[in-house]
Amino acid sequence: MTSSPFKKPLAYAAALAAAGLLAVGAMPTAAGASYGGTGKLTWATGSLIAIQGSNNLVPYYCPTTNCASPANEPVTEVAWTPDGSRALFIDVDGDLSSVRYNNTDSRTWYTYGFGTDGHVRSSPTWLGTGLVVFADKPAANEPWELRQVDGSGTMYDWLYSVGDGYNYTNPDGNAGGTLVYQRQADSNGTPTGTPSVHVQKPSASETVITNAANPAISPDGTRVAFVRGGQIYVSNPTGGDLVQVVSTGVASDNPVWSPDGTAVAFSYGTGIATAKADGSQADAPVSQTAQSGKPAYQTTLKSKVARLQGSNRYDTAIQVSKSHWATATDAADPRAKAKAVVLSRSDTFADALSGSALAAAKQGPLLMTLPTSLDAATEAEIARLLGDDTSATVYLLGGTGALSAAVEQKIVAMHYNVERLSGDNRYSTSVSIADAILEGQRPTFVLAATGANYPDALAAGAAAGSFNYPGSSGRAVVVLTSDKVLPAPTKQFLDGLTDSTFLYGIGGQAVQALSSPTNYSPIPVTGANRYETARATAWQFFGGEATVGLATGANWPDALAGGALMATLNGPLLLTPGTSTTLHPEVQGMLESDSGSINTVLIFGGSGAVSTALDAEAGTLVSGPAGWDPQNNPTTLGARTTGKTASTSVPVSTYHRTREQLQEMAEQLRAAQNGASRTLR
């Protein structure tokens, strides 16, 4: 499903619509980034995006006076997402947007100036796996700045805007999170003087190349191409090991690296040429086209759709665990080693709904067993995960009526610590789980969802747990309401919060429980049904996500175990009608609009839970021209990646939103659901 290509829809209002997508929206400009693998040379001709050996990509827009006859979008520069699935460009209104490589109807907006905010934007580039960086000029007499937006277009922020009297332009990024850009003095809004190129690698000091402009970073981050005196050069990040790539005297500009890092493409006179990065073709660059334009490479990295499934709910939870967590006794296993296991009863969700966030906080998976005895396969998985670590803990969710004393004794006999988290009912149990996560700290975020049903709490668990990663300065928990009523244990917990805690109501029932008769002023994250609420939760708490989880909305066990993994991987859990032959429109919209950052879709459960027809649909929606690889029970799901959004450091891959950004997202969500328009700052 796609939104109309003729107008810019409001970001979340479009996603709520059945046919909606999540919409997000006088200087030399840098060409697009490269990400390794193979690819095709493309270039912006001024009226379309030409793709070597393929059909041209022709974005179009709705003229103010005649929406019935769309006009071709003027495209003067283009950058591509890492998998080549989306082309980024500055549109006719001066806003940053993108289209799918095979469907210009699938339009995503990252900014919302509508040509009236006075901003001029240029040089979009993809950074890491989940951020777009671009140059932004707020007003005619103000310097250029660098700004960022996440890959879903839901968070817009400053990156370099330091007010130091310099212009920051021509950014270019790679998949490893290295960013290069041009810095130049300012004269009343006009760049002046000798430019320099700055190289910022994640967690490293910035380096500078003097007398250089319009940089491009190599796929492996070891080399920088730049312009000096109208010719193309390549050096290391400090300017050493200098190689002249073009030495013909023909004006050359806009360098961009080939995906394999062996060559550089560039504007060459009135055309485009390539030359080897080692300088061996400096005297005779290879002409690629006689047309004028700014080059970029469309990379062709494959996406993947991985199904994690077992013969029953216990086995599915085990396969989810095996996909990420190492075998404790295998020193050669490079994966993360679990420090704990969360164990839930398998026959009802009541005590387990807060367990996903707990599993992420304690750095382990969520497994299941019958209430009266420890499932043999689950016992074996606990032993695989924890090995001979007698300091490891197995957390039991619920009292002896949920997991019997026999289950506890069996784990004690395995020589692991046992901590039972329980209360008089599911609500006090959720508070007990929250206390175990917090370990005496104040919560940064509290997500409340109804405990009378499972869907909203499952989506909330993945979101809350994603904040509980090792080294995090904050903590997030899930507590339960009794549908539209606030039970006493939850009320007592909430009464102990400080004003600095963000309280979210996930789903309409929880929002009502938190609003009447005692008003806790919750931030509402809701939809018309369980699928929309899960989508709203993903929109609120995630952006630029590399991995998305998908489970049936008609049952809970697979989503419970899957939610714990998604929390660990820092990705949202979406729900869909599992027996349908097509994905729910909310899922369709998110996968397609966020396809630039999503490289993996995880489907939890077998074909009886989620139809196998949905694998192909999900793969098609997120992949680029290289397509997607199907996988069954892989054991190679890597660790999460996090980065910073402060102006003093460069973000890397998937990052966490700050408290201020989450507050902004909540305001956007409320405005969108109320039908109000908004303008991004």
Side-chain angles (χ1 to χ4, degrees):
M1 295 263 179
T2 61
S3 61
S4 167
F6 304 137
K7 63 181 180 178
K8 298 180 181 178
L10 187 64
Y12 189 64
L16 288 179
L21 285 178
L22 177 64
V24 292
M27 63 173 281
T29 53
S34 300
Y35 295 88
T38 61
K40 294 181 178 180
L41 182 64
T42 72
W43 58 95
T45 68
S47 60
L48 54 82
I49 301 167
I51 304 176
Q52 198 168 54
S54 302
N55 294 329
N56 295 331
L57 193 61
V58 187
Y60 51 91
Y61 71 100
C62 172
T64 304
T65 56
N66 186 6
C67 286
S69 301
N72 286 3
E73 192 97 47
V75 182
T76 58
E77 56 185 323
V78 64
W80 292 90
T81 57
D83 61 357
S85 63
R86 302 196 74 90
L88 294 84
F89 59 95
I90 306 300
D91 68 20
V92 68
D93 290 328
D95 285 317
L96 174 59
S97 65
S98 73
V99 292
R100 286 274 297 174
Y101 78 101
N102 59 355
N103 180 14
T104 56
D105 286 1
S106 176
R107 189 70 167 264
T108 296
W109 278 271
Y110 301 90
T111 64
Y112 285 95
F114 293 100
T116 62
D117 65 353
H119 288 241
V120 178
R121 301 175 178 91
S122 183
S123 309
T125 183
W126 204 271
L127 180 65
T129 60
L131 289 173
V132 180
V133 176
F134 58 97
D136 183 284
K137 187 176 179 62
N141 62 345
E142 295 185 25
W144 287 88
E145 306 167 343
L146 296 188
R147 299 200 182 189
Q148 66 182 14
V149 63
D150 66 38
S152 63
T154 55
M155 194 67 250
Y156 181 58
D157 208 352
W158 285 265
L159 183 60
Y160 282 94
S161 176
V162 295
D164 60 357
Y166 283 88
N167 287 273
Y168 294 84
T169 59
N170 297 334
D172 187 63
N174 70 2
T178 297
L179 179 71
V180 294
Y181 59 90
Q182 179 178 324
R183 184 174 183 261
Q184 201 167 4
D186 177 68
S187 176
N188 198 34
T190 301
T192 186
T194 303
S196 58
V197 165
H198 294 238
V199 184
Q200 178 67 70
K201 292 187 175 184
S203 304
S205 298
E206 184 177 78
T207 59
V208 179
I209 304 172
T210 58
N211 188 22
N214 212 349
I217 185 68
S218 65
D220 65 1
T222 64
R223 305 288 282 169
V224 182
F226 56 88
V227 179
R228 178 180 289 167
Q231 302 290 274
I232 307 298
Y233 291 81
V234 166
S235 76
N236 64 28
T238 64
D241 300 325
L242 187 67
V243 173
Q244 188 165 357
V245 176
V246 180
S247 59
T248 62
V250 176
S252 302
D253 203 354
N254 305 306
V256 60
W257 287 87
S258 64
D260 62 6
T262 64
V264 178
F266 44 89
S267 303
Y268 188 65
T270 59
I272 294 173
T274 60
K276 290 184 178 179
D278 62 8
S280 60
Q281 294 177 323
D283 296 332
V286 180
S287 178
Q288 300 295 322
T289 174
Q291 298 187 48
S292 61
K294 295 172 182 175
Y297 277 97
Q298 180 190 25
T299 49
T300 52
L301 300 177
K302 281 193 172 185
S303 301
K304 63 183 176 182
V305 176
R307 187 177 282 266
L308 299 173
Q309 60 180 323
S311 56
N312 51 45
R313 59 188 60 187
Y314 316 108
D315 192 26
T316 292
I318 290 169
Q319 297 305 324
V320 172
S321 171
K322 287 181 175 180
S323 73
H324 177 77
W325 297 104
T327 298
T329 56
D330 184 358
D333 193 332
R335 298 175 298 166
K337 286 183 166 53
K339 295 184 177 180
V341 170
V342 174
L343 189 62
S344 166
R345 67 188 296 177
S346 60
D347 59 335
T348 185
F349 58 83
D351 294 320
L353 291 179
S354 302
S356 295
L358 175 69
K362 300 303 180 182
Q363 301 177 54
L366 188 149
L367 301 175
M368 297 181 195
T369 190
L370 286 168
T372 55
S373 62
L374 184 60
D375 175 73
T378 299
E379 179 183 354
E381 178 63 5
I382 294 173
R384 184 191 75 84
L385 291 162
L386 303 181
D388 56 4
D389 183 3
T390 56
S391 66
T393 299
V394 177
Y395 293 88
L396 306 184
L397 303 185
T400 54
L403 292 172
S404 68
V407 172
E408 181 174 351
Q409 291 164 6
K410 187 76 171 179
I411 296 170
V412 170
M414 297 172 73
H415 305 292
Y416 302 127
N417 297 317
V418 174
E419 185 169 342
R420 186 181 289 275
L421 304 176
S422 64
D424 294 335
N425 50 45
R426 66 189 65 185
Y427 311 108
S428 53
T429 295
S430 75
V431 171
S432 179
I433 293 171
D435 289 339
I437 293 173
L438 296 173
E439 296 180 332
Q441 298 183 47
R442 293 288 186 182
T444 312
F445 310 104
V446 174
L447 284 66
T450 177
N453 207 345
Y454 54 84
D456 297 347
L458 293 175
S466 73
F467 289 93
N468 299 332
Y469 57 93
S472 171
S473 60
R475 282 288 183 268
V477 299
V478 177
V479 295
L480 303 178
T481 69
S482 179
D483 212 21
K484 299 177 182 179
V485 176
L486 190 63
T490 305
K491 183 179 186 303
Q492 182 178 2
F493 177 84
L494 296 180
D495 286 343
L497 300 180
T498 65
D499 292 339
S500 62
T501 299
F502 280 31
L503 175 62
Y504 294 88
I506 309 299
Q509 293 92 337
V511 171
Q512 184 166 333
L514 297 171
S515 301
S516 178
T518 302
N519 186 7
Y520 288 92
S521 299
I523 299 169
V525 181
T526 65
N529 52 49
R530 63 189 61 189
Y531 307 106
E532 288 188 6
T533 295
R535 176 67 184 92
T537 303
W539 193 86
Q540 170 68 47
F541 294 101
F542 298 94
E545 62 283 341
T547 305
V548 169
L550 184 62
T552 178
N555 210 342
W556 59 272
D558 299 339
L560 180 66
L565 177 63
M566 294 314 303
T568 299
L569 297 177
N570 192 24
L573 178 70
L574 300 178
L575 304 177
T576 194
T579 57
S580 173
T581 56
T582 59
L583 293 165
H584 191 276
E586 296 296 330
V587 178
Q588 292 175 337
M590 180 174 179
L591 294 184
E592 188 171 41
S593 64
D594 293 12
S595 61
S597 65
I598 298 170
N599 56 45
T600 302
V601 178
L602 301 179
I603 298 179
F604 299 109
S607 59
V610 181
S611 168
T612 55
L614 304 185
D615 298 52
E617 185 180 7
T620 300
L621 288 171
V622 301
S623 63
W628 56 283
D629 282 330
Q631 297 185 359
N632 184 54
N633 290 336
T635 57
T636 55
L637 298 181
R640 63 180 290 134
T641 50
T642 59
K644 304 295 183 182
T645 53
S647 61
T648 54
S649 61
V650 175
V652 226
S653 296
T654 306
Y655 65 97
H656 253 112
R657 289 178 176 150
T658 64
R659 290 167 55 86
E660 293 74 20
Q661 289 172 336
L662 284 168
Q663 189 169 25
E664 169 70 11
M665 290 306 303
E667 293 170 359
Q668 292 181 14
L669 181 60
R670 275 192 288 241
Q673 292 174 330
N674 291 333
S677 62
R678 67 177 177 87
T679 300
L680 291 173
R681 53 190 171 91

